[in-house]
């Protein structure tokens, strides 16, 4: 079966479509499993873990909200709601941006860094067992090369 979008160069064969669907399913399944691991062991959602990790890896443990939203793949409003929850839990703080009165920074607190340090082994174990250990070194290099083709400007 070939699906078309009106032009022959836009046709997608069933095998091609299945590869696309496999990629989607793999990402969703692994993400759900990582989320479940973090929730059970640490009562921490995967999106929260990602925010804490992004802040921990940033200079001064802070990022502008717009930059953070882009890094964690959330809308600005979605990030705002998440930061509200993390702030209530004492894991992040908001700080005004001195150079832009409208801008805000999300800042990782010591409690947030501690929570991240507790959850990181669970997260990393999940990545290892559900993704990295499934492939040998050559397959991982091939996977990286193929994924880098999708966004070569982001490869590094």
């Amino acid at each position: 079966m070939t699906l078309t979008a009106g032009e022959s160069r836009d046709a997608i064969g069933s095998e091609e479509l299945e590869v696309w669907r496999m990629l989607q399913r793999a990402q969703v399944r692994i993400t759900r499993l990582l989320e479940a691991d973090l929730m059970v062991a640490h009562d921490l959602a995967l999106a929260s873990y990602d925010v804490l990790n992004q802040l921990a890896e940033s200079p001064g443990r802070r990022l502008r909200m717009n930059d953070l939203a882009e890094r964690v793949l959330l809308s600005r409003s979605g990030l705002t709601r998440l930061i509200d929850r993390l702030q209530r839990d004492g894991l992040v703080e908001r700080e005004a941006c001195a150079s832009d009165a409208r801008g805000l920074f999300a800042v990782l607190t010591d409690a947030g860094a501690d929570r991240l340090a507790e959850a990181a082994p669970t997260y990393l174990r999940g990545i290892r067992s559900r993704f990295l250990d499934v492939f040998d070194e050559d397959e991982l290099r091939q996977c990286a090369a193929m994924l880098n083709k999708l966004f070569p400007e982001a490869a590094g």
Side-chain angles (χ1 to χ4, degrees):
M1 176 174 131
T2 300
L3 305 175
T4 64
E7 294 182 26
S8 62
R9 74 174 187 84
D10 292 329
I12 297 177
S14 58
E15 286 182 19
E16 293 170 315
L17 191 57
E18 183 55 25
V19 169
W20 171 248
R21 289 176 177 159
M22 287 170 34
L23 180 63
Q24 288 179 304
R25 282 192 301 269
Q27 190 274 332
V28 168
R29 287 178 182 167
I30 292 169
T31 298
R32 286 179 181 161
L33 291 167
L34 293 173
E35 171 97 21
D37 291 346
L38 288 169
M39 289 301 294
V40 167
H42 306 284
D43 193 30
L44 188 67
L46 182 57
S48 297
Y49 179 91
D50 197 13
V51 165
L52 298 178
N53 192 55
Q54 290 294 329
L55 292 173
E57 292 178 350
S58 298
R61 299 189 333 186
R62 73 182 58 231
L63 279 170
R64 290 179 66 107
M65 292 286 285
N66 288 344
D67 295 333
L68 182 56
E70 187 174 307
R71 289 185 188 194
V72 297
L73 306 176
L74 289 174
S75 66
R76 287 186 215 166
S77 62
L79 178 64
T80 296
R81 289 188 299 274
L82 179 54
I83 292 294
D84 287 343
R85 289 191 300 274
L86 294 173
Q87 189 171 19
R88 275 194 306 270
D89 292 342
L91 305 178
V92 300
E93 295 175 342
R94 284 185 173 97
E95 285 185 4
C97 178
S99 63
D100 179 1
R102 298 171 301 166
L104 286 174
F105 285 102
V107 182
L108 184 66
T109 64
D110 289 340
D114 291 345
R115 186 82 174 275
L116 177 64
E118 292 168 4
T122 301
Y123 177 74
L124 297 174
R125 232 182 350 266
I127 292 171
R128 169 126 340 259
S129 67
R130 295 191 171 99
F131 182 73
L132 299 174
D133 285 349
V134 174
F135 303 105
D136 64 30
E137 289 181 31
D138 287 338
E139 290 170 324
L140 284 172
R141 276 192 290 277
Q142 290 171 355
C143 184
M146 287 185 287
L147 292 172
N148 281 332
K149 284 184 172 183
L150 297 174
F151 300 100
E153 68 280 359

